[in-house]
Amino acid sequence: MNKDLADGQVQVAQQGDTDIVVRRSFTHPPAQVWRAMTDPAILPRWMATFDAMTKCQIDARPGGSFRYDFAGEGRAFYFSGPVLQADAPRHMAVVEYFNGDPASETHVKTDLVEEGTGTRMTVVMRWPNAAAREAAVASGRTHGLDEVYGRLDAVLAEG
């Protein structure tokens, strides 16, 4: 986990029994990355992988909430939950539920740190136990992150 990342390289690692840590560097400053991660007009352009984002709502402040609906390949699902902490453009903590199911509770913390003229992003996803994390991994939760964050980088480059 201490290895330096080249721009565009995603690092995903399991940490302890319950966490997955994702790191990536971007050439754009934290304020631009934050905006792309919290603006409902921008989020759908990079977040959806194999499914289309059909609904995007986010109130990126403590006490706010979010909901991202996806549809495609004969299925529909959503992620939603409360925003626990938000300190633009540096930090956000949310609780994420898959299809509103309390058993799927995942605590997600995102930190954006200035790195030269760019940003070092660290996302920590924490499940309640090892079995829940393993189920999330088995369901594909960490698949496609290179593609997703590559699209985020392309959206950032567009300005």
Side-chain angles (χ1 to χ4, degrees):
M1 297 287 289
N2 295 331
K3 169 180 132 177
D4 288 332
L5 295 176
D7 286 332
Q9 180 182 6
V10 175
Q11 184 182 61
V12 180
Q14 293 186 7
Q15 183 173 295
D17 292 334
T18 60
D19 294 4
I20 293 179
V21 179
V22 179
R23 290 193 172 95
R24 190 185 196 281
S25 291
F26 296 94
T27 58
H28 299 81
Q32 282 183 283
V33 178
W34 178 271
R35 181 171 177 247
M37 297 176 100
T38 60
D39 184 332
I42 300 173
L43 263 160
R45 294 174 47 204
W46 65 268
M47 186 179 273
T49 53
F50 305 107
D51 301 288
M53 185 181 281
T54 59
K55 180 179 190 177
C56 181
Q57 297 174 328
I58 182 167
D59 180 0
R61 61 183 174 85
S65 63
F66 69 96
R67 180 170 170 145
Y68 309 137
D69 289 28
F70 298 88
E73 298 181 7
R75 61 186 178 158
F77 60 93
Y78 68 93
F79 292 95
S80 63
V83 175
L84 303 177
Q85 302 170 340
D87 181 17
R90 295 179 289 275
H91 174 77
M92 186 176 327
V94 303
V95 178
E96 186 175 271
Y97 299 101
F98 179 73
N99 286 335
D101 181 3
S104 69
E105 179 176 309
T106 309
H107 287 254
V108 181
K109 292 182 184 179
T110 302
D111 288 297
L112 304 175
V113 176
E114 191 172 326
E115 184 177 65
T117 59
T119 301
R120 171 75 171 254
M121 178 191 72
T122 303
V123 178
V124 178
M125 297 177 277
R126 177 169 290 155
W127 284 269
N129 54 56
R133 180 185 69 186
E134 292 310 312
V137 170
S139 74
R141 183 71 183 272
T142 58
H143 294 132
L145 291 177
D146 285 325
E147 179 185 343
V148 168
Y149 290 127
R151 280 198 308 274
L152 172 55
D153 205 31
V155 167
L156 291 167
E158 293 169 6

